[in-house]
Amino acid sequence: MKPGNHEHRIEPDPDIQPIGVEQGDPIPDPPALPGMVEAFDESESVLDRLASNLVVHALECVRRFGDFQLALSGGSTPMPLYQRLMIDPAYRRMPWRKTHLWIVDERRVPFDDDRSNFKHIKEIIGDHSDIPENQVHPIEATRDDAAESYEKTLQEVLGWREKGQDRLDFVLLGMGPDGHTASLFPNSRALDVDDRLVTLNDGPTVVPPDRVTMTYKLINASRMIVPLVMGKGKAEMIHRVATGDDGSHEIPIKGIKPIGGQLAWYLDTAACGKG
Ligand code: 6PG
């Protein structure tokens, strides 16, 4: 998984039809965030747009690589997206059988703890899609070697891909009001880890319990990085990301800079500070 200068985008496949769902009107003049910004009035439209693009990207990756490497975040914002993907017939083309499901970050609690991201993602997706069990990759967060062992699994699975393509295809991120993303919290030690794909994180700025998280190195090497940010509690931080000159230690999401891949933000009106 070596960063290189080559492009990781894949060209749209003309044989793959777009998903036909109603989508609302985009918000004019969304915040000037780095990368692409998709912003809609209604949170429903944000979720539909994101779900449609996710399914098409998944189909393109399966066509091109034979599988789709998807990493999902926890938190409350993306749960309705996961539900929509499972329930809405519009998304039944999602190639779950060819998908590997990864977890972006995890609290260091057992799987049956309500704070476990995997618990919720498994209940919504793992248990109700036809994704094969051996393609679902929880972080065994309570193990001492949780980070090393997850990194090893990532390398083993992605190692089947051709060199240069051995990367995650789609990483769904959230953002906290403090600007954290994944479990990369302001001024925390995980921000400086540049030689690992996964690491532990703790310290005064890390909202307890301690965490295991994908690093910038892994996330930034991905083909598609997608922060989904909704609600007025996030508006001030979105404004700072778009206009301020803070660095990534103050605002960790500013350290998300794809190497050859694409960054696409999905926002609702409230997160844009409008409405
Ligand atoms: C987690 C996350 C974290 C999350 C943000 C936003 O496990 O909590 O991966 O980075 O995405 O804290 O969370 P909300 O969606 O709940 O606001």
PDB file of all heavy atoms in Angstrom, residues 73-78 104-107 117 173-177 180-185 211 228 230 234, ligand 1:
ATOM      1  N   SER A  73     -17.643   4.085   9.308  1.00  0.00           N
ATOM      2  CA  SER A  73     -17.488   4.709  10.624  1.00  0.00           C
ATOM      3  C   SER A  73     -18.703   4.443  11.486  1.00  0.00           C
ATOM      4  O   SER A  73     -19.784   4.075  10.988  1.00  0.00           O
ATOM      5  CB  SER A  73     -17.356   6.238  10.461  1.00  0.00           C
ATOM      6  OG  SER A  73     -16.075   6.555   9.996  1.00  0.00           O
ATOM      7  N   GLY A  74     -18.515   4.701  12.778  1.00  0.00           N
ATOM      8  CA  GLY A  74     -19.648   4.618  13.699  1.00  0.00           C
ATOM      9  C   GLY A  74     -20.212   6.013  13.932  1.00  0.00           C
ATOM     10  O   GLY A  74     -20.146   6.870  13.046  1.00  0.00           O
ATOM     11  N   GLY A  75     -20.747   6.243  15.119  1.00  0.00           N
ATOM     12  CA  GLY A  75     -21.400   7.526  15.399  1.00  0.00           C
ATOM     13  C   GLY A  75     -22.845   7.444  14.965  1.00  0.00           C
ATOM     14  O   GLY A  75     -23.276   6.460  14.334  1.00  0.00           O
ATOM     15  N   SER A  76     -23.607   8.488  15.274  1.00  0.00           N
ATOM     16  CA  SER A  76     -25.043   8.404  14.988  1.00  0.00           C
ATOM     17  C   SER A  76     -25.386   8.805  13.555  1.00  0.00           C
ATOM     18  O   SER A  76     -26.358   8.301  12.977  1.00  0.00           O
ATOM     19  CB  SER A  76     -25.810   9.283  15.979  1.00  0.00           C
ATOM     20  OG  SER A  76     -25.271  10.586  15.927  1.00  0.00           O
ATOM     21  N   THR A  77     -24.596   9.692  12.949  1.00  0.00           N
ATOM     22  CA  THR A  77     -24.979  10.239  11.634  1.00  0.00           C
ATOM     23  C   THR A  77     -25.156   9.166  10.552  1.00  0.00           C
ATOM     24  O   THR A  77     -26.125   9.222   9.792  1.00  0.00           O
ATOM     25  CB  THR A  77     -23.950  11.299  11.176  1.00  0.00           C
ATOM     26  OG1 THR A  77     -23.720  12.191  12.268  1.00  0.00           O
ATOM     27  CG2 THR A  77     -24.428  12.077   9.974  1.00  0.00           C
ATOM     28  N   PRO A  78     -24.239   8.204  10.430  1.00  0.00           N
ATOM     29  CA  PRO A  78     -24.366   7.296   9.271  1.00  0.00           C
ATOM     30  C   PRO A  78     -25.365   6.151   9.442  1.00  0.00           C
ATOM     31  O   PRO A  78     -25.646   5.456   8.466  1.00  0.00           O
ATOM     32  CB  PRO A  78     -22.946   6.730   9.117  1.00  0.00           C
ATOM     33  CG  PRO A  78     -22.339   6.801  10.465  1.00  0.00           C
ATOM     34  CD  PRO A  78     -22.976   7.971  11.167  1.00  0.00           C
ATOM     35  N   VAL A 104     -13.654   1.759  10.494  1.00  0.00           N
ATOM     36  CA  VAL A 104     -12.668   2.850  10.491  1.00  0.00           C
ATOM     37  C   VAL A 104     -12.015   3.000  11.864  1.00  0.00           C
ATOM     38  O   VAL A 104     -10.806   3.207  11.973  1.00  0.00           O
ATOM     39  CB  VAL A 104     -13.337   4.179  10.066  1.00  0.00           C
ATOM     40  CG1 VAL A 104     -12.415   5.367  10.288  1.00  0.00           C
ATOM     41  CG2 VAL A 104     -13.770   4.099   8.599  1.00  0.00           C
ATOM     42  N   ASP A 105     -12.832   2.916  12.915  1.00  0.00           N
ATOM     43  CA  ASP A 105     -12.280   3.087  14.263  1.00  0.00           C
ATOM     44  C   ASP A 105     -13.204   2.411  15.263  1.00  0.00           C
ATOM     45  O   ASP A 105     -14.369   2.129  14.956  1.00  0.00           O
ATOM     46  CB  ASP A 105     -12.104   4.568  14.619  1.00  0.00           C
ATOM     47  CG  ASP A 105     -13.414   5.314  14.691  1.00  0.00           C
ATOM     48  OD1 ASP A 105     -14.286   5.101  13.823  1.00  0.00           O
ATOM     49  OD2 ASP A 105     -13.582   6.121  15.627  1.00  0.00           O
ATOM     50  N   GLU A 106     -12.669   2.169  16.411  1.00  0.00           N
ATOM     51  CA  GLU A 106     -13.448   1.412  17.389  1.00  0.00           C
ATOM     52  C   GLU A 106     -13.088   1.850  18.805  1.00  0.00           C
ATOM     53  O   GLU A 106     -11.943   2.253  19.076  1.00  0.00           O
ATOM     54  CB  GLU A 106     -13.135  -0.077  17.185  1.00  0.00           C
ATOM     55  CG  GLU A 106     -14.036  -1.040  17.883  1.00  0.00           C
ATOM     56  CD  GLU A 106     -15.516  -0.871  17.561  1.00  0.00           C
ATOM     57  OE1 GLU A 106     -16.153   0.004  18.202  1.00  0.00           O
ATOM     58  OE2 GLU A 106     -16.045  -1.589  16.687  1.00  0.00           O
ATOM     59  N   ARG A 107     -14.073   1.816  19.677  1.00  0.00           N
ATOM     60  CA  ARG A 107     -13.804   2.013  21.102  1.00  0.00           C
ATOM     61  C   ARG A 107     -13.302   0.696  21.668  1.00  0.00           C
ATOM     62  O   ARG A 107     -13.747  -0.367  21.204  1.00  0.00           O
ATOM     63  CB  ARG A 107     -15.086   2.466  21.807  1.00  0.00           C
ATOM     64  CG  ARG A 107     -15.488   3.868  21.399  1.00  0.00           C
ATOM     65  CD  ARG A 107     -16.949   4.154  21.675  1.00  0.00           C
ATOM     66  NE  ARG A 107     -17.313   5.478  21.161  1.00  0.00           N
ATOM     67  CZ  ARG A 107     -17.561   5.748  19.875  1.00  0.00           C
ATOM     68  NH1 ARG A 107     -17.518   4.799  18.963  1.00  0.00           N
ATOM     69  NH2 ARG A 107     -17.857   6.967  19.502  1.00  0.00           N
ATOM     70  N   ASN A 117     -18.773   0.254  17.773  1.00  0.00           N
ATOM     71  CA  ASN A 117     -19.260   0.593  16.431  1.00  0.00           C
ATOM     72  C   ASN A 117     -19.674  -0.664  15.680  1.00  0.00           C
ATOM     73  O   ASN A 117     -20.676  -0.688  14.965  1.00  0.00           O
ATOM     74  CB  ASN A 117     -18.169   1.323  15.631  1.00  0.00           C
ATOM     75  CG  ASN A 117     -18.016   2.765  16.076  1.00  0.00           C
ATOM     76  OD1 ASN A 117     -18.916   3.334  16.686  1.00  0.00           O
ATOM     77  ND2 ASN A 117     -16.871   3.358  15.777  1.00  0.00           N
ATOM     78  N   LEU A 173     -16.406   8.588   6.484  1.00  0.00           N
ATOM     79  CA  LEU A 173     -15.974   9.228   7.728  1.00  0.00           C
ATOM     80  C   LEU A 173     -17.096  10.074   8.306  1.00  0.00           C
ATOM     81  O   LEU A 173     -18.017  10.484   7.588  1.00  0.00           O
ATOM     82  CB  LEU A 173     -14.774  10.147   7.456  1.00  0.00           C
ATOM     83  CG  LEU A 173     -13.487   9.486   6.955  1.00  0.00           C
ATOM     84  CD1 LEU A 173     -12.459  10.557   6.601  1.00  0.00           C
ATOM     85  CD2 LEU A 173     -12.926   8.529   8.013  1.00  0.00           C
ATOM     86  N   GLY A 174     -16.995  10.368   9.608  1.00  0.00           N
ATOM     87  CA  GLY A 174     -17.843  11.370  10.231  1.00  0.00           C
ATOM     88  C   GLY A 174     -16.940  12.487  10.731  1.00  0.00           C
ATOM     89  O   GLY A 174     -15.716  12.449  10.535  1.00  0.00           O
ATOM     90  N   MET A 175     -17.532  13.466  11.369  1.00  0.00           N
ATOM     91  CA  MET A 175     -16.717  14.525  11.988  1.00  0.00           C
ATOM     92  C   MET A 175     -17.380  14.946  13.291  1.00  0.00           C
ATOM     93  O   MET A 175     -18.604  15.146  13.337  1.00  0.00           O
ATOM     94  CB  MET A 175     -16.609  15.728  11.052  1.00  0.00           C
ATOM     95  CG  MET A 175     -15.680  16.812  11.595  1.00  0.00           C
ATOM     96  SD  MET A 175     -15.785  18.368  10.674  1.00  0.00           S
ATOM     97  CE  MET A 175     -17.269  19.077  11.370  1.00  0.00           C
ATOM     98  N   GLY A 176     -16.594  15.077  14.348  1.00  0.00           N
ATOM     99  CA  GLY A 176     -17.128  15.576  15.609  1.00  0.00           C
ATOM    100  C   GLY A 176     -17.086  17.098  15.625  1.00  0.00           C
ATOM    101  O   GLY A 176     -16.377  17.711  14.815  1.00  0.00           O
ATOM    102  N   PRO A 177     -17.806  17.733  16.542  1.00  0.00           N
ATOM    103  CA  PRO A 177     -17.803  19.205  16.613  1.00  0.00           C
ATOM    104  C   PRO A 177     -16.417  19.771  16.929  1.00  0.00           C
ATOM    105  O   PRO A 177     -16.146  20.934  16.666  1.00  0.00           O
ATOM    106  CB  PRO A 177     -18.773  19.516  17.768  1.00  0.00           C
ATOM    107  CG  PRO A 177     -19.426  18.242  18.136  1.00  0.00           C
ATOM    108  CD  PRO A 177     -18.692  17.102  17.523  1.00  0.00           C
ATOM    109  N   HIS A 180     -12.628  16.207  15.068  1.00  0.00           N
ATOM    110  CA  HIS A 180     -12.029  14.868  14.946  1.00  0.00           C
ATOM    111  C   HIS A 180     -12.730  14.087  13.851  1.00  0.00           C
ATOM    112  O   HIS A 180     -13.908  14.345  13.541  1.00  0.00           O
ATOM    113  CB  HIS A 180     -12.035  14.114  16.291  1.00  0.00           C
ATOM    114  CG  HIS A 180     -13.306  13.419  16.637  1.00  0.00           C
ATOM    115  ND1 HIS A 180     -14.250  13.937  17.503  1.00  0.00           N
ATOM    116  CD2 HIS A 180     -13.807  12.223  16.241  1.00  0.00           C
ATOM    117  CE1 HIS A 180     -15.260  13.086  17.616  1.00  0.00           C
ATOM    118  NE2 HIS A 180     -15.017  12.047  16.863  1.00  0.00           N
ATOM    119  N   THR A 181     -11.976  13.169  13.281  1.00  0.00           N
ATOM    120  CA  THR A 181     -12.565  12.222  12.341  1.00  0.00           C
ATOM    121  C   THR A 181     -11.952  10.871  12.645  1.00  0.00           C
ATOM    122  O   THR A 181     -10.864  10.813  13.219  1.00  0.00           O
ATOM    123  CB  THR A 181     -12.330  12.644  10.877  1.00  0.00           C
ATOM    124  OG1 THR A 181     -13.152  11.836  10.038  1.00  0.00           O
ATOM    125  CG2 THR A 181     -10.873  12.523  10.448  1.00  0.00           C
ATOM    126  N   ALA A 182     -12.626   9.782  12.271  1.00  0.00           N
ATOM    127  CA  ALA A 182     -12.220   8.453  12.756  1.00  0.00           C
ATOM    128  C   ALA A 182     -12.010   8.607  14.264  1.00  0.00           C
ATOM    129  O   ALA A 182     -12.785   9.305  14.922  1.00  0.00           O
ATOM    130  CB  ALA A 182     -10.980   7.975  12.004  1.00  0.00           C
ATOM    131  N   SER A 183     -10.945   8.026  14.852  1.00  0.00           N
ATOM    132  CA  SER A 183     -10.631   8.368  16.253  1.00  0.00           C
ATOM    133  C   SER A 183      -9.338   9.160  16.291  1.00  0.00           C
ATOM    134  O   SER A 183      -8.473   8.962  17.140  1.00  0.00           O
ATOM    135  CB  SER A 183     -10.560   7.116  17.134  1.00  0.00           C
ATOM    136  OG  SER A 183     -11.873   6.683  17.453  1.00  0.00           O
ATOM    137  N   LEU A 184      -9.220  10.077  15.342  1.00  0.00           N
ATOM    138  CA  LEU A 184      -8.082  10.998  15.271  1.00  0.00           C
ATOM    139  C   LEU A 184      -8.530  12.298  15.927  1.00  0.00           C
ATOM    140  O   LEU A 184      -9.209  13.125  15.305  1.00  0.00           O
ATOM    141  CB  LEU A 184      -7.692  11.206  13.806  1.00  0.00           C
ATOM    142  CG  LEU A 184      -7.270   9.921  13.054  1.00  0.00           C
ATOM    143  CD1 LEU A 184      -7.235  10.149  11.555  1.00  0.00           C
ATOM    144  CD2 LEU A 184      -5.915   9.423  13.573  1.00  0.00           C
ATOM    145  N   PHE A 185      -8.209  12.439  17.202  1.00  0.00           N
ATOM    146  CA  PHE A 185      -8.690  13.583  17.991  1.00  0.00           C
ATOM    147  C   PHE A 185      -7.635  14.684  18.022  1.00  0.00           C
ATOM    148  O   PHE A 185      -6.442  14.416  17.846  1.00  0.00           O
ATOM    149  CB  PHE A 185      -9.001  13.116  19.425  1.00  0.00           C
ATOM    150  CG  PHE A 185     -10.282  12.324  19.509  1.00  0.00           C
ATOM    151  CD1 PHE A 185     -10.283  10.958  19.273  1.00  0.00           C
ATOM    152  CD2 PHE A 185     -11.501  12.952  19.799  1.00  0.00           C
ATOM    153  CE1 PHE A 185     -11.463  10.219  19.329  1.00  0.00           C
ATOM    154  CE2 PHE A 185     -12.678  12.215  19.861  1.00  0.00           C
ATOM    155  CZ  PHE A 185     -12.659  10.845  19.625  1.00  0.00           C
ATOM    156  N   ARG A 211      -9.249   4.254  22.127  1.00  0.00           N
ATOM    157  CA  ARG A 211      -9.665   3.894  20.766  1.00  0.00           C
ATOM    158  C   ARG A 211      -8.622   3.090  20.002  1.00  0.00           C
ATOM    159  O   ARG A 211      -7.440   3.135  20.317  1.00  0.00           O
ATOM    160  CB  ARG A 211      -9.922   5.183  19.951  1.00  0.00           C
ATOM    161  CG  ARG A 211     -10.790   6.231  20.620  1.00  0.00           C
ATOM    162  CD  ARG A 211     -12.221   5.775  20.710  1.00  0.00           C
ATOM    163  NE  ARG A 211     -13.070   6.787  21.321  1.00  0.00           N
ATOM    164  CZ  ARG A 211     -14.034   7.435  20.661  1.00  0.00           C
ATOM    165  NH1 ARG A 211     -14.272   7.186  19.403  1.00  0.00           N
ATOM    166  NH2 ARG A 211     -14.777   8.313  21.295  1.00  0.00           N
ATOM    167  N   LEU A 228     -19.347  12.321   5.860  1.00  0.00           N
ATOM    168  CA  LEU A 228     -20.783  12.609   5.910  1.00  0.00           C
ATOM    169  C   LEU A 228     -21.013  13.415   7.184  1.00  0.00           C
ATOM    170  O   LEU A 228     -20.785  12.911   8.284  1.00  0.00           O
ATOM    171  CB  LEU A 228     -21.576  11.297   5.952  1.00  0.00           C
ATOM    172  CG  LEU A 228     -23.064  11.419   6.306  1.00  0.00           C
ATOM    173  CD1 LEU A 228     -23.839  12.192   5.230  1.00  0.00           C
ATOM    174  CD2 LEU A 228     -23.693  10.021   6.486  1.00  0.00           C
ATOM    175  N   MET A 230     -23.707  16.049   9.179  1.00  0.00           N
ATOM    176  CA  MET A 230     -25.039  16.646   9.163  1.00  0.00           C
ATOM    177  C   MET A 230     -25.381  17.234  10.535  1.00  0.00           C
ATOM    178  O   MET A 230     -24.868  16.799  11.565  1.00  0.00           O
ATOM    179  CB  MET A 230     -26.083  15.606   8.763  1.00  0.00           C
ATOM    180  CG  MET A 230     -25.815  15.012   7.381  1.00  0.00           C
ATOM    181  SD  MET A 230     -27.302  14.421   6.571  1.00  0.00           S
ATOM    182  CE  MET A 230     -27.577  12.916   7.458  1.00  0.00           C
ATOM    183  N   LYS A 234     -22.553  20.856  13.818  1.00  0.00           N
ATOM    184  CA  LYS A 234     -21.297  20.710  13.080  1.00  0.00           C
ATOM    185  C   LYS A 234     -20.981  21.957  12.237  1.00  0.00           C
ATOM    186  O   LYS A 234     -19.912  22.047  11.639  1.00  0.00           O
ATOM    187  CB  LYS A 234     -21.363  19.484  12.146  1.00  0.00           C
ATOM    188  CG  LYS A 234     -21.824  18.197  12.814  1.00  0.00           C
ATOM    189  CD  LYS A 234     -20.753  17.584  13.680  1.00  0.00           C
ATOM    190  CE  LYS A 234     -21.224  16.386  14.505  1.00  0.00           C
ATOM    191  NZ  LYS A 234     -21.465  15.178  13.768  1.00  0.00           N
TER     192      LYS A 234
HETATM  193  C1  6PG B   1     -17.105   7.168  16.145  1.00  0.00           C
HETATM  194  C2  6PG B   1     -16.534   7.785  14.923  1.00  0.00           C
HETATM  195  C3  6PG B   1     -16.347   9.267  14.957  1.00  0.00           C
HETATM  196  C4  6PG B   1     -17.672   9.872  14.484  1.00  0.00           C
HETATM  197  C5  6PG B   1     -17.789  11.323  14.898  1.00  0.00           C
HETATM  198  C6  6PG B   1     -19.146  11.897  14.539  1.00  0.00           C
HETATM  199  O1  6PG B   1     -16.935   6.015  16.302  1.00  0.00           O
HETATM  200  O2  6PG B   1     -17.752   7.866  16.941  1.00  0.00           O
HETATM  201  O3  6PG B   1     -15.962   7.048  14.026  1.00  0.00           O
HETATM  202  O4  6PG B   1     -15.291   9.759  14.231  1.00  0.00           O
HETATM  203  O5  6PG B   1     -17.775   9.729  13.100  1.00  0.00           O
HETATM  204  O6  6PG B   1     -17.611  11.403  16.283  1.00  0.00           O
HETATM  205  O7  6PG B   1     -20.118  11.204  15.258  1.00  0.00           O
HETATM  206  P1  6PG B   1     -21.658  11.529  15.138  1.00  0.00           P
HETATM  207  O8  6PG B   1     -22.085  11.074  13.816  1.00  0.00           O
HETATM  208  O9  6PG B   1     -22.290  10.731  16.253  1.00  0.00           O
HETATM  209  O10 6PG B   1     -21.801  13.004  15.345  1.00  0.00           O
END
